[in-house]
Amino acid sequence: MKFRISVLLTAILSVGLVACNDDNDNKSNPAEVVEPTPNTIKLSLLGRYETNVFAKSAAEIPAYDAATKRLFVVNAQKGLVDVLDASKPEKPIHIAELSARTYLANSDVNSVAVKNGIVALAVQAEKKTDAGMVVFFNAKDLSFISQVTVGSLPDMLTFSPDGKTVLVANEGEPNDDYSVDPEGSVSIIDVSNIQQPKVNTA
């Protein structure tokens, strides 16, 4: 009889301990709260900037720098970036232009990204099958910082969330008769030292 009671008490204690462990697990992993997706989103016009050029990619890709309240907009028609003062968003004002032609003759800007006060431009060479480059500028005073060579026809770039890396998609388009057909590639730029960025292209 004593043996049966002993076994029964051991079993009860075991169940109790398992139950305690389950309670602790549930407390450390609360149920995930999922926010419902809104049925509609309402946007209203606050302001606008017009290039006065229609259907020619004169305002193609924007990037905003919150610290300077500046908007950087790729103007593919001109092959450069328009810099707008957006401190009064109801009426942005054109204040400057960023071009990479000083660093790569007759080049065109295809994309722009901004992070931590650094503006990065993806720049294609005059002959699109040649290697392009990424040029870095200071968002505050628009001064040149550095540049690196990337793959053929860099078409889009973005900073990593921590701002230490720039990723560049290089399209590598062929020329008209396909006598030159460079490979598409991705360039990974370490910008932890923006004065001396390091690039690897895959």
Side-chain angles (χ1 to χ4, degrees):
M1 183 71 177
K2 288 182 181 179
F3 177 74
R4 288 182 182 174
I5 292 172
S6 195
V7 169
L8 182 61
L9 285 174
T10 303
I12 291 170
L13 283 173
S14 297
V15 170
L17 289 172
V18 169
C20 289
N21 285 339
D22 286 346
D23 286 346
N24 288 337
D25 288 345
N26 289 338
K27 288 177 184 175
S28 63
N29 297 319
E32 183 180 344
V33 178
V34 179
E35 293 185 17
T37 302
N39 293 327
T40 61
I41 297 174
K42 185 177 180 182
L43 301 175
S44 57
L45 178 65
L46 179 61
R48 69 175 60 180
Y49 167 76
E50 295 183 20
T51 62
N52 297 315
V53 177
F54 183 71
K56 291 187 179 178
S57 298
E60 194 173 16
I61 299 168
Y64 179 68
D65 179 55
T68 60
K69 296 183 179 177
R70 288 180 172 174
L71 193 60
F72 298 85
V73 184
V74 172
N75 186 330
Q77 195 226 11
K78 290 183 177 179
L80 47 74
V81 169
D82 289 321
V83 183
L84 311 179
D85 177 357
S87 56
K88 295 180 180 177
E90 64 278 1
K91 192 173 182 182
I93 300 169
H94 184 280
I95 57 171
E97 294 175 343
L98 280 178
S99 172
R101 291 181 177 171
T102 303
Y103 315 101
L104 187 60
N106 302 315
S107 59
D108 289 325
V109 178
N110 287 333
S111 187
V112 62
V114 181
K115 187 82 171 180
N116 300 332
I118 305 298
V119 183
L121 307 184
V123 183
Q124 82 173 59
E126 179 181 17
K127 186 190 274 187
K128 68 179 181 178
T129 55
D130 289 348
M133 65 171 44
V134 172
V135 184
F136 298 99
F137 293 90
N138 186 308
K140 188 174 182 180
D141 61 13
L142 307 180
S143 60
F144 169 80
I145 300 173
S146 57
Q147 69 186 59
V148 291
T149 300
V150 294
S152 170
L153 191 56
D155 192 58
M156 188 272 179
L157 80 173
T158 188
F159 283 88
S160 60
D162 64 6
K164 294 180 180 178
T165 307
V166 174
L167 305 174
V168 190
N170 307 303
E171 281 194 3
E173 286 184 4
N175 61 0
D176 291 340
D177 64 3
Y178 281 78
S179 59
V180 180
D181 188 3
E183 287 188 331
S185 60
V186 174
S187 293
I188 302 154
I189 307 170
D190 178 354
V191 292
S192 49
N193 177 2
I194 193 61
Q195 304 294 336
Q196 295 180 322
K198 296 176 182 176
V199 61
N200 286 296
T201 298

